[in-house]
Amino acid sequence: MKTLMKNHLSTAAIALLLWCATDLPGRSETQYAGVAPNQTSSIRTIIDKRPVVHADGIKFGAYDPHGDFGAQTNVSTEALFLPWEDVDLETLRVADAYAQARGRNLLITVEPWSWDVDWRLTSEELRRKVLRGDYDVNMRAIAQMISQLKSPVIVRWGQEMEDKSGRFSWSGWNPQDYITAYKRMMDIVRDEAPGTELMWSPKGEPGLDAYYPGDDYVDLVGLSVFGLQRYDELAYNKHRTFSEALKQGYDLVAGYGKPVWVAELGYEGGDAYMRPWIETATLKQSAFPNLQEVVYFNDRDVHAWPFNLGRPDWRVVESLAAN
């Protein structure tokens, strides 16, 4: 396993291992004229946009490398992202201690590549090597470490596999090849860390059903739901609510009968745009009976969005990263 040591990390950053975000389906900038920004609807006075956690609502978790949710007691899950080629796995012990001290589960997204672009393989090279078993040792090392952790763990491997934007090296593979790879990796997790829950996590786009690995390999389904006001104006000619953004993906996976999570949630815009997201993200809704938990992505996106919108800052409090 290649290891790229990351030095000078803050305690929170070490505990939560930083990186990765999700962008929405790209649309041609010439296809949608969109609507002009409304000056009133774009006014921003909200200082802290964290979701309201309703006492009788959906559970809440966070990917929180800045520690903004560190003292919040109603957070059920601590999320982190883990590449399998360039990380010191001992940092998982720090994350485990951080989560355990707060009574939280760990949601570990394992990304089958390196965060160092110079080390990344092409999609075809990665597919061939994973199917050949070249990366079994990487996954086994991660699973062996997970088996030593004290917090309950959920493993999410190779997320957003049906996405066709080219963002992830494992996305857009032939569905059967992806299913074979997913099962291979999750079999290793089951072998080394029995009791770990498995999350299959599509983006929520049409065609995801072809990548479903079967009920025996899915304990939870995780979707990605992001709302960016200006993107909505340009791509949809309206402002979408959390419910509208979730509906397509939820409807596509509801038939599996599995608990559904929003594994990555974020929103950004003016007060009028964000307030409905803030108020409803953890609200129980009859349209989503299987929705169990939402996990906020509390960092700036690492990828630029369409329409030259740059990298949205999903962080709940204003950060220097947005400047």
Side-chain angles (χ1 to χ4, degrees):
M1 176 182 293
K2 292 180 183 176
T3 300
L4 176 64
M5 297 299 293
K6 291 179 167 41
N7 298 318
H8 310 300
L9 294 177
S10 68
T11 301
I14 291 174
L16 305 174
L17 296 174
L18 198 48
W19 219 244
C20 182
T22 298
D23 59 78
L24 289 166
R27 302 203 185 193
S28 157
E29 283 134 16
T30 59
Q31 184 178 357
Y32 293 95
V35 296
N38 180 287
Q39 188 173 6
T40 302
S41 69
S42 298
I43 292 174
R44 172 72 178 273
T45 64
I46 295 173
I47 298 173
D48 190 328
K49 63 181 183 182
R50 70 186 66 214
V52 173
V53 181
H54 298 274
D56 57 348
I58 304 303
K59 289 183 179 179
F60 177 74
Y63 165 65
D64 187 30
H66 306 283
D68 294 326
F69 292 94
Q72 189 165 323
T73 58
N74 53 5
V75 178
S76 298
T77 299
E78 202 70 56
L80 57 91
F81 292 82
L82 188 75
W84 67 7
E85 282 199 276
D86 57 353
V87 68
D88 179 1
L89 293 180
E90 286 297 318
T91 58
L92 285 175
R93 296 189 194 278
V94 182
D96 181 40
Y98 185 93
Q100 190 182 27
R102 291 158 177 80
R104 300 174 184 176
N105 302 316
L106 280 175
L107 170 61
I108 302 176
T109 297
V110 179
E111 298 187 328
W113 63 356
S114 168
W115 286 343
D116 188 325
V117 295
D118 294 331
W119 288 356
R120 288 183 187 170
L121 304 175
T122 66
S123 179
E124 175 56 27
E125 289 171 334
L126 178 63
R127 184 194 65 82
R128 185 173 62 251
K129 293 187 74 172
V130 170
L131 293 177
R132 194 170 61 195
D134 292 10
Y135 283 102
D136 288 6
V137 63
N138 299 60
M139 196 67 195
R140 195 167 298 279
I142 292 170
Q144 287 172 347
M145 177 58 75
I146 288 173
S147 72
Q148 301 173 42
L149 305 182
K150 297 178 181 179
S151 305
V153 176
I154 301 162
V155 170
R156 176 182 181 235
W157 185 87
Q159 75 275 21
E160 301 185 9
M161 73 298 297
E162 86 280 24
D163 177 52
K164 295 181 173 59
S165 70
R167 175 177 179 177
F168 294 126
S169 302
W170 57 89
S171 296
W173 286 354
N174 174 282
Q176 191 53 56
D177 286 344
Y178 176 85
I179 289 172
T180 300
Y182 175 93
K183 287 182 174 181
R184 184 180 193 116
M185 296 304 110
M186 293 311 200
D187 278 340
I188 291 172
V189 173
R190 283 175 164 170
D191 182 45
E192 298 290 347
T196 301
E197 288 195 286
L198 312 182
M199 177 180 283
W200 175 70
S201 194
K203 190 171 187 176
E205 297 183 348
L208 63 80
D209 57 305
Y211 292 87
Y212 188 65
D215 291 347
D216 291 345
Y217 281 84
V218 178
D219 296 311
L220 308 164
V221 174
L223 298 168
S224 301
V225 178
F226 287 84
L228 182 62
Q229 177 175 339
R230 188 57 183 144
Y231 180 86
D232 282 4
E233 292 168 351
L234 293 167
Y236 300 104
N237 203 35
K238 68 172 188 175
H239 294 161
R240 296 193 304 166
T241 64
F242 168 74
S243 300
E244 289 171 327
L246 171 61
K247 180 174 172 51
Q248 173 181 273
Y250 183 90
D251 287 350
L252 289 170
V253 303
Y256 299 127
K258 300 290 184 176
V260 176
W261 287 34
V262 174
E264 297 184 36
L265 167 70
Y267 43 83
E268 174 60 18
D271 290 0
Y273 180 83
M274 292 195 298
R275 279 198 182 101
W277 287 74
I278 292 170
E279 292 290 340
T280 63
T282 74
L283 191 67
K284 283 187 178 179
Q285 300 184 56
S286 59
F288 311 122
N290 294 337
L291 184 61
Q292 186 177 82
E293 186 161 341
V294 297
V295 179
Y296 196 87
F297 186 93
N298 190 38
D299 202 8
R300 190 180 183 187
D301 207 315
V302 297
H303 288 272
W305 275 42
F307 305 109
N308 296 315
L309 295 177
R311 294 166 48 209
D313 191 6
W314 311 117
R315 189 171 172 185
V316 293
V317 296
E318 187 175 2
S319 67
L320 294 176
N323 299 323

